[in-house]
Amino acid sequence: WPVVSIRSGASGAVKDIKANLEWLESFENVVVCFDNDKAGQEAANSVLSLFTPNKAKNVTLPLKDAGDMLKARKVADFVKEWWNAKSYRPDGIVSGLDTWDLLLEQQNTVSIPYPWTCLNEFTHGFRQKELVTITSGSGMGKSQIVRELEHYLLGETDDNIGILALEEDIPKTTLGIMSIEANKQLHLEKDVPEEEKKGYWEKTMGTGRIFMLDHWGSTSEDDLLGRIRYMAKGLDCKWIILDHLSIVVSDQSNGDERKAIDSIMTNLRKLVQETGVGLFLVSHLKRPEGKAHEEGAKTSLAQLRGSASLGQLSDLVLGFERDQQAEGDADVTTVRVLKNRYSGETGINCTLKYSRETGRLKETDAISLVAREQAMYAR
């Protein structure tokens, strides 16, 4: 077989191949065997993309280059790798022949049930590599929902948890999670002994499994993504909670909220796939026409503030509805599944009752969901 070499190393490979492309294309097959290092393989991919599809093949060696194979007396291995060279395929293109292992991996994905049993009927739990958006009107208790989830993850998994609470300082987030453990609102309890508080701290923050962002207020998109990536890869966090998206957007310089949210959501979606984390994202709603969300207005995907990408790129969207001024049931929240990529089931799923004594959210089946919806929207 004719054998030729590039003339000026990996850095000049594309130029050399382009200059001789017509001659090289005259062969039935072209086998590329560059060095098995970063520079060599980057050059190989650039060269392979110049050829007619399926004409060019790439040899991947176990050692750095053909010379090293010869010195190691691995000539037979070199010949084997040469014959086994694979046709070039651009990154991101997967053959159906390579999907069996991917299928088995997905089937082994563990679903963790939500702390509220009723919510699992539609969602079948939550999983890593999923982006869950939590939304409601202003002052409806999104942060309390998030704290319940953070504490639940701490108890139900052995995983590390990353928290980016952009409207809270570290002590407030710490005390909030400790309060879930204590089953009482510690910030309102002035006579809790320090020793008792320390016990709650040891069972939550003292586990060493929670990592928080020490930054109050807005932050840039690049900085946010960098912190999440570090939590995932550097601190081995399997679950990330971002509360909330709107405050990130407020720091963007382009002045276009929709474009800013599109950019952040696209990059968050990529980051979830890249790192394999499960991401819980808190987002605000636009004010609806007529009755406000604070008065029990129905939530919908169309009301997600700023961009349709919030709904499009999320695996699950949960809307929380409550009439803050209602007589008798102002502490009862209706949970509506607005989007559900996993099973497709959507609609009102359950109700949660907030205890002013303990500060906890507990599911309730005391009221028929259908009857509750009819009553809520008849007001």
Side-chain angles (χ1 to χ4, degrees):
W1 291 272
V3 179
V4 294
S5 174
I6 53 176
R7 302 193 303 174
S8 50
S11 61
V14 172
K15 181 180 178 182
D16 289 344
I17 297 297
K18 282 184 175 180
N20 296 277
L21 189 58
E22 183 178 1
W23 175 71
L24 291 167
E25 281 277 4
S26 68
F27 291 90
E28 183 178 347
N29 291 291
V30 176
V31 181
V32 174
C33 185
F34 287 0
D35 289 357
N36 187 25
D37 57 18
K38 182 178 180 181
Q41 289 307 299
E42 286 181 350
N45 284 329
S46 297
V47 163
L48 290 163
S49 65
L50 299 175
F51 289 92
T52 301
N54 298 318
K55 180 181 291 288
K57 296 177 173 60
N58 187 36
V59 176
T60 304
L61 299 176
L63 301 179
K64 181 177 182 293
D65 56 25
D68 285 349
M69 296 290 287
L70 180 61
K71 286 188 288 184
R73 300 182 182 275
K74 292 182 177 292
V75 175
D77 291 337
F78 176 84
V79 173
K80 178 181 177 182
E81 295 298 338
W82 189 86
W83 279 109
N84 289 336
K86 294 183 177 180
S87 296
Y88 168 71
R89 186 186 301 145
D91 288 343
I93 306 300
V94 179
S95 167
L97 295 172
D98 300 327
T99 59
W100 181 248
D101 289 340
L102 294 174
L103 179 63
L104 294 179
E105 179 183 343
Q106 186 180 61
Q107 289 178 339
N108 291 330
T109 299
V110 176
S111 292
I112 300 175
Y114 279 93
W116 308 292
T117 304
C118 54
L119 188 54
N120 297 313
E121 294 176 10
F122 282 11
T123 66
H124 303 273
F126 54 91
R127 293 148 287 275
Q128 291 179 11
K129 286 192 176 181
E130 286 190 350
L131 195 164
V132 178
T133 294
I134 294 170
T135 190
S136 73
S138 178
M140 303 285 278
K142 291 186 290 294
S143 294
Q144 186 63 28
I145 292 163
V146 163
R147 288 194 189 102
E148 290 277 2
L149 288 171
E150 291 163 351
H151 179 266
Y152 181 75
L153 283 167
L154 195 62
E156 292 299 313
T157 75
D158 296 321
D159 303 328
N160 290 347
I161 303 160
I163 300 173
L164 300 94
L166 302 181
E167 283 190 323
E168 295 182 346
D169 57 21
I170 298 298
K172 185 173 182 179
T173 302
T174 298
L175 195 62
I177 297 176
M178 288 170 56
S179 293
I180 302 296
E181 177 66 30
N183 219 35
K184 64 175 95 175
Q185 301 190 66
L186 292 176
H187 67 289
L188 299 178
E189 302 277 348
K190 304 302 182 184
D191 56 350
V192 179
E194 184 174 318
E195 183 178 348
E196 183 180 339
K197 279 189 177 180
K198 185 65 178 294
Y200 301 137
W201 178 87
E202 288 175 345
K203 291 180 179 180
T204 52
M205 299 302 172
T207 62
R209 289 169 46 211
I210 295 179
F211 298 90
M212 295 172 285
L213 177 63
D214 186 11
H215 177 79
W216 195 93
S218 59
T219 184
S220 70
E221 177 182 345
D222 289 341
D223 181 63
L224 174 78
L225 295 170
R227 301 298 175 86
I228 294 176
R229 181 177 282 106
Y230 173 70
M231 284 181 168
K233 293 191 172 182
L235 301 175
D236 198 30
C237 293
K238 302 300 184 186
W239 309 97
I240 304 287
I241 296 91
L242 173 57
D243 183 9
H244 56 84
L245 183 65
S246 300
I247 204 166
V248 182
V249 175
S250 68
D251 196 44
Q252 305 306 298
S253 59
N254 59 23
D256 188 322
E257 183 181 46
R258 183 187 62 78
K259 288 184 177 179
I261 292 177
D262 282 347
S263 176
I264 293 171
M265 284 299 296
T266 298
N267 286 313
L268 284 174
R269 178 76 257 178
K270 291 178 180 177
L271 200 55
V272 166
Q273 294 302 124
E274 172 195 338
T275 62
V277 299
L279 175 64
F280 291 92
L281 171 68
V282 177
S283 179
H284 286 174
L285 291 169
K286 296 181 291 188
R287 288 192 174 277
E289 295 182 5
K291 184 164 57 176
H293 292 115
E294 294 75 19
E295 297 174 348
K298 181 179 177 180
T299 59
S300 72
L301 286 178
Q303 294 167 353
L304 286 167
R305 178 174 165 179
S307 169
S309 63
L310 278 162
Q312 291 167 352
L313 297 176
S314 297
D315 293 285
L316 181 72
V317 181
L318 299 175
F320 292 81
E321 304 165 2
R322 178 166 66 91
D323 186 349
Q324 295 175 337
Q325 306 303 318
E327 295 182 7
D329 62 352
D331 293 330
V332 176
T333 296
T334 299
V335 183
R336 185 184 296 274
V337 178
L338 300 175
K339 178 184 178 180
N340 185 359
R341 185 171 285 158
Y342 189 76
S343 70
E345 298 171 275
T346 58
I348 284 188
N349 188 227
C350 66
T351 55
L352 307 176
K353 185 173 179 60
Y354 176 73
S355 169
R356 301 190 185 194
E357 180 181 349
T358 66
R360 300 295 304 276
L361 285 166
K362 300 291 185 182
E363 63 182 288
T364 173
D365 56 2
I367 304 173
S368 161
L369 294 180
V370 174
R372 176 168 178 75
E373 182 173 33
Q374 291 173 344
M376 177 179 292
Y377 303 117
R379 293 191 184 108

